[in-house]
Amino acid sequence: MPHTPSVLFVCVHNAGRSQMAAGFLTHLSGDSVEVRSAGSAPADTVNASAVGVMAEVGIDISNQTPKILTPDAVETSDVVITMGCGDACPVFPGVSYRDWALPDPAGNGIDAVRPIRDRIEELVRDLVEELVPARSRSVR
């Protein structure tokens, strides 16, 4: 059986950017990618504007909860994508690290969060193209 790639999205609060990215990757890759998200200082709840803009594109992230970033989550991931957590992310050999420079949606309304969502979708679509062979992709 082929290896299922594992992706960990990390931002400070695990309430906006990383939750939207995880929602898109889960939606676009089905079960062909293991998707996780975490934060170096997780918030109590997912950002309401992030939930709202994702609902606009048919992806429900309202049941997600911010999670603490652990060394184990990083070490057991094939790809770690940071979104503003800086050096709070531990580094392990064999893990591919990428940084997506995205504005933090915290404190912004839906109109300000839509362009962030749209950029995240573009980046996640590119990631799916890279990680998932075309024949196994079921949702486009």
Side-chain angles (χ1 to χ4, degrees):
M1 180 157 192
H3 171 72
T4 300
S6 175
V7 175
L8 173 65
F9 293 104
V10 180
C11 66
V12 175
H13 300 296
N14 188 220
R17 296 165 289 190
S18 56
Q19 292 287 353
M20 288 189 284
F24 273 121
L25 186 54
T26 299
H27 177 74
L28 295 170
S29 70
D31 60 0
S32 58
V33 177
E34 180 185 357
V35 182
R36 295 181 275 186
S37 69
S40 52
D44 293 330
T45 60
V46 174
N47 178 307
S49 293
V51 171
V53 298
M54 292 301 285
E56 290 177 351
V57 295
I59 300 173
D60 182 6
I61 62 169
S62 64
N63 62 341
Q64 298 301 310
T65 55
K67 295 165 272 315
I68 187 72
L69 176 65
T70 64
D72 183 62
V74 175
E75 188 173 26
T76 58
S77 296
D78 295 306
V79 179
V80 174
I81 298 173
T82 58
M83 303 173 178
C85 75
D87 61 2
C89 297
V91 176
F92 292 96
V95 176
S96 172
Y97 293 88
R98 302 163 193 199
D99 185 60
W100 291 354
L102 298 161
D104 188 346
N108 290 306
I110 283 181
D111 289 341
V113 177
R114 275 190 196 108
I116 301 168
R117 173 205 62 202
D118 294 346
R119 180 63 183 139
I120 290 171
E121 181 180 12
E122 291 171 7
L123 291 165
V124 170
R125 283 187 181 278
D126 290 345
L127 184 65
V128 170
E129 291 287 331
E130 174 188 341
L131 295 177
V132 181
R135 65 186 174 283
S136 68
R137 268 186 254 134
S138 59
V139 180
R140 256 325 259 179

